[in-house]
Amino acid sequence: MPDIMNHEVSDVDLSKIAALQQKRTLAFVNHFVITTVQFLNNFSKKCEQRLMQFERKIEKINATMVLLEAKLSSIPELNNITGDETRINVKEEELKPKESKEVIEESKNESDQKDKTNTVENGNTEGTAGEHVEKIKKEYERFVKMVQVGVPTEAVKLKISLEGLDPSELDRILYK
């Protein structure tokens, strides 16, 4: 089929065909360029407005968080030493090489296994497991108080994760 079209085009005398109207073509091109530029300008304006709205919202949230942290820092029960100790412990663990972390974790796991077997052999089931639960409750006590004061649970979980603790423990403590 392309051969037939080429054959028909080659038989046409181009000198007998009327020329394209340059003014009309120029008008079409100008219209296309103008509408495209207007569309892009409107699109960029809307995008910029939305970005400004989000920036304002983020600034409001940031200001609210600063006020909330200031209010929380004024509560003496929430400023326990345990929070500072956990931050120090996390920083120390970050500074240690990974190999030593693995060795420490393995030794902790082995000592936990030995403690569990000792408590089972002695008939004492409340020994180290009970102490472990109490230790966790003490670490998370100030976070529980935050929730009780009215701080949103998700914000408290974020604070817990920032301090290097497990946010799921808060759910276990709150929803016993």
Side-chain angles (χ1 to χ4, degrees):
M1 188 175 267
D3 293 334
I4 295 172
M5 291 180 76
N6 287 338
H7 182 58
E8 289 177 5
V9 172
S10 64
D11 290 340
V12 176
D13 186 16
L14 297 178
S15 62
K16 294 180 182 177
I17 297 176
L20 293 175
Q21 297 175 359
Q22 289 181 352
K23 288 184 180 180
R24 188 174 181 190
T25 305
L26 187 60
F28 283 130
V29 170
N30 283 340
H31 177 71
F32 172 76
V33 169
I34 289 171
T35 55
T36 304
V37 168
Q38 286 175 344
F39 167 76
L40 291 174
N41 284 339
N42 287 334
F43 180 74
S44 66
K45 181 180 175 182
K46 287 181 182 179
C47 289
E48 189 172 344
Q49 287 173 345
R50 288 183 181 171
L51 285 173
M52 292 297 288
Q53 287 174 346
F54 283 121
E55 186 177 350
R56 281 189 217 112
K57 287 179 182 180
I58 289 173
E59 286 175 357
K60 284 181 182 179
I61 290 171
N62 193 16
T64 305
M65 287 298 293
V66 168
L67 290 172
L68 182 62
E69 286 178 353
K71 286 180 182 178
L72 289 175
S73 66
S74 68
I75 300 173
E77 293 87 25
L78 297 179
N79 295 330
N80 286 348
I81 299 172
T82 58
D84 297 333
E85 288 175 357
T86 56
R87 282 191 214 122
I88 293 169
N89 291 339
V90 169
K91 288 180 182 176
E92 287 176 357
E93 288 179 8
E94 289 173 356
L95 295 175
K96 294 179 183 176
K98 289 185 178 182
E99 294 175 3
S100 65
K101 277 186 182 180
E102 292 172 359
V103 170
I104 292 171
E105 288 176 2
E106 288 176 5
S107 65
K108 284 182 181 179
N109 289 338
E110 290 174 3
S111 65
D112 287 343
Q113 292 287 339
K114 289 178 184 176
D115 289 341
K116 286 179 184 177
T117 55
N118 288 340
T119 55
V120 169
E121 289 174 358
N122 295 338
N124 185 5
T125 57
E126 295 178 9
T128 57
E131 292 171 2
H132 181 68
V133 170
E134 289 300 319
K135 182 180 175 185
I136 290 175
K137 282 185 180 180
K138 285 181 182 178
E139 285 180 338
Y140 288 86
E141 183 178 348
R142 67 188 180 109
F143 299 112
V144 172
K145 286 183 182 179
M146 287 174 147
V147 173
Q148 291 172 347
V149 169
V151 179
T153 310
E154 293 303 317
V156 175
K157 286 183 182 179
L158 178 66
K159 183 83 169 163
I160 290 172
S161 62
L162 288 174
E163 291 190 11
L165 298 172
D166 184 18
S168 61
E169 288 291 328
L170 181 68
D171 289 333
R172 290 187 198 125
I173 293 170
L174 290 176
Y175 304 114
K176 275 189 174 180

